[in-house]
Amino acid sequence: MKEEIWSILSRVDVGRVLRDEPMARHTTWRIGGPADVLVLPEEQDQIRRLMALVGERGWPWLVIGKGSNLLVRDGGIRGVVVKLADNWSQMELEGTTLVAQSGRLIVSAANHAIHWGLAGLEFATGIPGSVGGAVRMNAGAHGGEIKDVLTWADLVFPDGSLIRKSNDELGFGYRTSRVAEWGALVVRAAFGLAPGDTAEMMSRVKAWTQRRRQTQPLAQASAGSVFRNPVNHYAARLIEEAGLKGRRVGGAQISPVHANFIVNLGGATAGDVLALIHLAQEEVYRKFAVRLMPEVRIVGEDVETGG
């Protein structure tokens, strides 16, 4: 399959095409085996052309942004990886509506909104991913979520069609939306904002940032929060009370700073991270009868099994 994909995409205008690309270069954990083919489109027509080919040929595919919420297994990813990051990150203001391409960092969009005196996206300064990823998972922080401010999102479907979906149509829930269910790819999103006081917003964001620096291992390679917070619980507190804070497997460690972060100390493999994820799930369930569900996306194949 890899040869077929490479042969076709290397001859079609879909953007830059890379073969056997190490995903460790494209994730904030700095972990991951090779993608068969990784594509970086720069134009909407290239995205639509690529997705039409993917749908027509039945190739497996995955879209990524900055790779901030992603664990790629050590065997890598079969099929096509579509990367929408700096290659797809333009942004514009239409009145009080901020429209951003999906590869834009949501932090960057939020900071621009604050600079322009527009309120509503401040919470997103605590989210380390792209606009597309934030929409797909209804990302949230500091009491706010994407669903609170999103007006519409443009999606490309596997047949290459471009369809605009409203907030209601996207079916937002806790860290979820219908984007994955539809098998679609977010290319653009619009956020309805309101006039605000830049100085006041900056003051709040500064306080949040200082607290994150004190309570999160921001200087180490991670993927942010590993687990969703269970109902009426905090994942970090459960993991800490299970006695796992600081536990290490290979080059990966449950952070001594924040127990819902697993950090790459250097040379960690996806297998190391998965071992800690499973350990946390088992111990928390054994001690508290609470099931921890990963918030990070776990994709790709194991080296040993190829599956």
Side-chain angles (χ1 to χ4, degrees):
M1 180 176 61
K2 177 169 63 175
E3 295 302 324
E4 176 194 10
I5 294 172
W6 171 255
S7 174
I8 293 173
L9 293 187
S10 61
R11 293 183 283 109
V12 179
D13 181 18
V14 292
R16 187 179 176 200
V17 182
L18 303 175
R19 183 177 182 177
D20 294 322
E21 178 68 6
M23 290 303 295
R25 297 175 181 171
H26 303 277
T27 66
T28 57
W29 244 325
R30 300 173 194 159
I31 289 171
D36 283 350
V37 178
L38 185 142
V39 185
L40 297 99
E42 295 182 346
E43 300 173 3
Q44 185 166 280
D45 284 348
Q46 291 176 334
I47 298 173
R48 296 184 67 178
R49 190 175 298 119
L50 172 61
M51 292 303 292
L53 277 168
V54 165
E56 176 187 336
R57 300 277 175 168
W59 296 330
W61 67 278
L62 173 74
V63 61
I64 68 168
K66 291 290 186 178
S68 62
N69 193 49
L70 188 68
L71 178 63
V72 179
R73 291 187 176 94
D74 299 312
I77 301 175
R78 305 290 73 81
V80 181
V81 175
V82 186
K83 182 171 182 177
L84 300 178
D86 293 340
N87 53 307
W88 186 253
S89 59
Q90 293 182 16
M91 187 170 59
E92 61 185 353
L93 197 59
E94 299 176 357
T96 57
T97 298
L98 178 65
V99 180
Q101 291 180 335
S102 56
R104 188 85 184 195
L105 280 174
I106 191 66
V107 172
S108 172
N111 284 329
H112 276 80
I114 292 169
H115 176 74
W116 291 328
L118 294 174
L121 262 181
E122 303 92 274
F123 72 90
T125 57
I127 300 172
S130 66
V131 166
V135 172
R136 183 184 187 277
M137 69 173 292
N138 185 28
H142 307 300
E145 294 180 301
I146 290 298
K147 71 176 179 60
D148 300 332
V149 290
L150 187 102
T151 302
W152 52 258
D154 283 343
L155 310 182
V156 172
F157 288 75
D159 62 357
S161 61
L162 176 70
I163 301 175
R164 179 163 296 181
K165 296 289 187 179
S166 68
N167 186 309
D168 289 343
E169 290 175 307
L170 287 163
F172 288 119
Y174 177 65
R175 302 296 175 264
T176 186
S177 73
R178 297 187 67 189
V179 174
E181 172 191 331
W182 290 327
L185 175 157
V186 179
V187 292
R188 191 177 290 100
F191 303 98
L193 308 177
D197 185 286
T198 295
E200 188 275 331
M201 289 186 284
M202 289 181 67
S203 176
R204 272 190 292 132
V205 168
K206 183 178 180 181
W208 291 338
T209 302
Q210 288 176 338
R211 174 157 178 74
R212 282 199 303 276
R213 287 172 177 165
Q214 294 169 353
T215 60
Q216 297 178 7
L218 301 182
Q220 294 175 291
S222 78
S225 295
V226 174
F227 297 103
R228 303 179 182 187
N229 286 323
V231 177
N232 299 323
H233 294 282
Y234 290 101
R237 184 175 299 166
L238 291 170
I239 296 167
E240 182 172 356
E241 291 179 356
L244 298 177
K245 204 171 187 180
R247 184 68 65 89
R248 179 173 177 174
V249 172
Q253 182 184 40
I254 295 176
S255 172
V257 178
H258 192 303
N260 200 17
F261 281 63
I262 294 177
V263 296
N264 182 353
L265 298 175
T269 66
D272 296 339
V273 173
L274 286 168
L276 287 174
I277 287 174
H278 296 152
L279 176 64
Q281 289 174 317
E282 290 167 3
E283 286 299 295
V284 166
Y285 187 75
R286 184 175 69 85
K287 294 191 175 185
F288 307 109
V290 176
R291 296 192 185 277
L292 292 179
M293 301 298 295
E295 182 170 306
V296 296
R297 297 172 68 192
I298 302 170
V299 302
E301 301 183 353
D302 295 323
V303 172
E304 297 83 357
T305 64

